[in-house]
Amino acid sequence: MATKKTQTSADVFEFPAFDVAKMTDGYREMADKSVNQTKEAYAKVKTVAEDATKAIETTLEKAQTGTVELSLKAIDAARGNVEHSLSHMEALLGVKSVAQMFELQTSFFRKQAEMMVDQAKVMQEAAKKVSEEVSKPVKSVAEKAINETKVA
């Protein structure tokens, strides 16, 4: 026959042994882990913020350079138009007949239209180049952040 051990009320309501040293060690480990995770997160945020700041600075520098470049192209276009108009005015002063005047006017308008098309192409190419240069730093930082987020 098997003997059945009976539990006393003291056995049923007995509290487990409480070791304060183990508890403090557990809290210490949890606190250390939390501090390390916070430091790592701060380092990542700091790096991203520094990269973003550098990208913005570079973007502003490139925008300024691009604006100067576009302004110089616009000044060159205006200079070419003024020179062309002044040379046309000089030619008109030497006109001997109405037919010659119409011929000068026609060639002037044709040349002016060609110049405008060329100037528009030059400005379009310059604006495209500037916009690409301005967007490069921000684009690279964004791609880097996205790639780091995917890895994490």
Side-chain angles (χ1 to χ4, degrees):
M1 282 199 148
T3 59
K4 185 176 179 185
K5 183 178 178 186
T6 57
Q7 292 183 345
T8 63
S9 62
D11 292 337
V12 173
F13 294 106
E14 181 180 347
F15 288 103
F18 186 70
D19 189 5
V20 176
K22 286 183 181 179
M23 185 181 79
T24 56
D25 289 342
Y27 279 124
R28 185 173 293 119
E29 287 176 23
M30 184 176 66
D32 288 342
K33 185 177 179 182
S34 177
V35 167
N36 289 336
Q37 288 175 341
T38 303
K39 285 180 180 179
E40 290 173 8
Y42 172 76
K44 287 179 183 178
V45 168
K46 181 181 174 189
T47 302
V48 169
E50 288 172 350
D51 290 347
T53 301
K54 288 176 188 175
I56 290 171
E57 289 173 353
T58 304
T59 298
L60 292 175
E61 289 171 2
K62 296 214 181 235
Q64 180 183 13
T65 304
T67 302
V68 169
E69 182 181 337
L70 288 173
S71 297
L72 291 175
K73 297 233 185 247
I75 290 170
D76 286 343
R79 183 178 294 130
N81 291 339
V82 168
E83 288 174 359
H84 184 247
S85 295
L86 289 176
S87 66
H88 175 65
M89 292 301 287
E90 287 177 4
L92 282 177
L93 291 174
V95 168
K96 305 277 189 233
S97 68
V98 175
Q100 189 180 10
M101 181 190 74
F102 279 120
E103 184 178 321
L104 278 175
Q105 281 293 102
T106 304
S107 67
F108 171 76
F109 287 131
R110 185 179 312 115
K111 178 70 174 167
Q112 194 70 21
E114 291 171 1
M115 286 176 61
M116 286 176 59
V117 168
D118 291 341
Q119 291 167 354
K121 285 180 184 177
V122 167
M123 291 298 286
Q124 183 181 18
E125 289 171 3
K128 180 181 175 184
K129 178 184 168 197
V130 167
S131 66
E132 288 172 353
E133 290 294 320
V134 166
S135 65
K136 274 183 186 177
V138 174
K139 183 179 177 182
S140 66
V141 168
E143 288 174 351
K144 180 180 174 186
I146 289 170
N147 290 337
E148 287 178 1
T149 303
K150 287 180 181 178
V151 170

